[in-house]
Amino acid sequence: MAKEIFTLDARTATGHFPGIGRYVSSLAAELVPRLRPDELLAILTDAGARSNWALPEPGPGVRRLPVPNSPFSLSQQWRLAPMIRGSRVYHSPYFLMPYLAPAPTVLTVYDLIPLFFQEAVSPRTRLVFRIGMGLALRKARQVIAISESTRRDFSRHFGIDPAAIRTIPLAAAPAFQPAARERVRQVREAFGLPPDFLLYVGSNKPHKNLSALVQACAALPADLPLVIAGAWDSRYPQARIAAETLGLAERVRFLGPLSDEDLAGLYASCRLFVFPSLYEGFGLPLVEAMACGAPVASSEAGSLPEAGGQAAEYFDPHDPAAIAGTIRELLDSPARLQEMSTASLAQAGRFSWGRTADATIEIYRSITYN
């Protein structure tokens, strides 16, 4: 029996794309059990890079196709065509893609950080983003945005009809869930942390606004550490400099990138998760923290109110005093923190990769069968 082929480009499931890699691998895992007997998922992988994410193994409904060309390769423009030809849908989770793909294209978009935070990228990167994203959007039969905020941004900045963009949010991975008391104790001991600490998870790129969070920490009790976990880019040392300048070198802990298991333990252990970002396309760490039962204080910027809903407490990220005030007010109310913890679990439950896959495969089928 001939099968309808949906091609998912998973060449971004590498260490170079931590966020997109999680998206495409989580989506792929949930698409497979939703395939009908007459449907096949063809997964393109980067043959030249080690995958940081588990992708579905080949089977009756799954085909793995190693590609010798990365998303940054010009040669993908002509070499990927034979692998995509015959597909009813080609889904690219990244704007650098084969723009002449011989199949109707679905494109996922995340944010406009290269345009909104130009100090974080080179002029060449901004130019590549503008041109490449423009080409990708013109090629796409359907655009998927990961939040309503992203949908509005792309509609406004690229002149796209909002009806041509569908919002399909992300979700926390299964590893992120409330931890047993013993696991909480183990994590605190492993990292040498007291019972009460603030937690931030994410990168240190300029839009993450870590310097403001460190400044806010200076106005909080001296026995309250701030733990910062996530990939560290040496081009942006401002948060470390702020900690040293303010005499907080001992209170601000930089742990670097951690496994999902360790992150889940930290989320479940912290007194309060704080997310001061100036802009997010979705805000996945916030949802991960909520899925572990952490109370959340968040910036009110970008998509974060969508991700946090009514479960989070919001602050103005441009004002370190406002950040400190929100944190202090919450820490002074244990009952409020407990209420927020319960609300966090409910809010995180509104998102699931299963629902993300349901909405995505619905798009594939609308293109294939209509």
Side-chain angles (χ1 to χ4, degrees):
M1 178 180 65
K3 295 194 175 187
E4 305 292 358
I5 301 173
F6 306 143
T7 297
L8 177 64
D9 197 334
R11 291 177 296 154
T12 49
T14 69
H16 189 81
F17 301 95
I20 302 177
R22 185 180 290 280
Y23 167 76
V24 72
S25 60
S26 299
L27 175 63
E30 291 292 340
L31 285 173
V32 172
R34 287 162 170 78
L35 294 170
R36 298 171 182 166
D38 64 339
E39 295 171 341
L40 183 144
L41 183 66
I43 303 174
L44 305 184
T45 63
D46 189 336
R50 184 178 66 85
S51 176
N52 283 37
W53 311 98
L55 292 168
E57 293 296 329
V62 179
R63 182 185 302 165
R64 293 272 290 270
L65 301 174
V67 179
N69 315 97
S70 82
F72 300 105
S73 169
L74 179 61
S75 60
Q76 71 169 322
Q77 298 303 325
W78 57 88
R79 289 186 174 174
L80 260 67
M83 295 183 172
I84 299 171
R85 188 170 291 115
S87 298
R88 300 305 298 266
V89 173
Y90 164 68
H91 183 179
S92 177
Y94 191 51
F95 71 93
L96 294 180
M97 51 171 267
Y99 301 117
L100 300 177
T105 296
V106 175
L107 173 71
T108 300
V109 297
Y110 310 92
D111 57 57
L112 289 175
I113 288 171
L115 303 186
F116 289 174
F117 295 87
Q118 298 189 8
E119 70 277 13
V121 298
S122 68
R124 178 181 179 277
T125 298
R126 290 198 299 276
L127 180 63
V128 169
F129 181 83
R130 283 186 180 277
I131 294 174
M133 184 61 78
L135 291 171
L137 291 169
R138 280 195 287 273
K139 169 62 179 173
R141 175 81 62 87
Q142 177 69 59
V143 179
I144 295 173
I146 60 173
S147 68
E148 279 295 311
S149 174
T150 291
R151 179 174 175 266
R152 290 191 299 269
D153 287 345
F154 273 80
S155 175
R156 183 169 61 252
H157 285 269
F158 286 94
I160 306 170
D161 180 355
I165 309 176
R166 180 167 177 184
T167 299
I168 304 178
L170 312 184
F176 299 106
Q177 54 185 293
R181 185 172 300 177
E182 177 61 18
R183 177 58 184 155
V184 168
R185 184 189 65 78
Q186 290 173 352
V187 168
R188 286 174 177 163
E189 288 185 357
F191 293 103
L193 297 171
D196 289 345
F197 64 91
L198 304 177
L199 176 65
Y200 162 85
V201 173
S203 76
N204 64 318
K205 292 181 178 178
H207 72 280
K208 297 296 187 177
N209 199 31
L210 287 188
S211 293
L213 179 57
V214 172
Q215 292 174 49
C217 187
L220 297 172
D223 59 349
L224 184 68
L226 168 62
V227 175
I228 294 175
W232 184 266
D233 190 326
S234 60
R235 293 175 297 174
Y236 312 116
Q238 292 86 349
R240 285 186 184 273
I241 293 173
E244 293 169 1
T245 302
L246 295 169
L248 303 177
E250 298 298 320
R251 283 177 55 193
V252 181
R253 299 274 306 278
F254 296 91
L255 300 185
L258 300 175
S259 67
D260 283 357
E261 182 182 9
D262 283 340
L263 283 178
L266 284 175
Y267 284 137
S269 304
C270 70
R271 185 67 167 164
L272 182 67
F273 179 77
V274 188
F275 206 58
S277 183
L278 297 172
Y279 176 74
E280 291 290 328
F282 180 70
L284 196 52
L286 184 154
V287 176
E288 292 172 351
M290 287 187 162
C292 295
V296 170
S298 171
S299 159
E300 60 191 5
S303 63
L304 293 173
E306 292 180 55
Q310 296 183 355
E313 191 75 29
Y314 298 98
F315 52 73
D316 178 357
H318 299 280
D319 184 356
I323 300 173
T326 299
I327 294 172
R328 189 183 301 107
E329 180 179 340
L330 292 175
L331 294 178
D332 287 343
S333 178
R336 172 67 175 138
L337 288 177
Q338 184 58 51
E339 290 173 0
M340 291 175 66
S341 178
T342 301
S344 283
L345 293 172
Q347 176 66 14
R350 298 179 60 187
F351 306 102
S352 79
W353 283 111
R355 286 194 283 275
T356 299
D358 283 338
T360 303
I361 204 166
E362 178 185 311
I363 289 174
Y364 296 175
R365 288 170 180 155
S366 70
I367 293 172
T368 300
Y369 302 114
N370 291 338

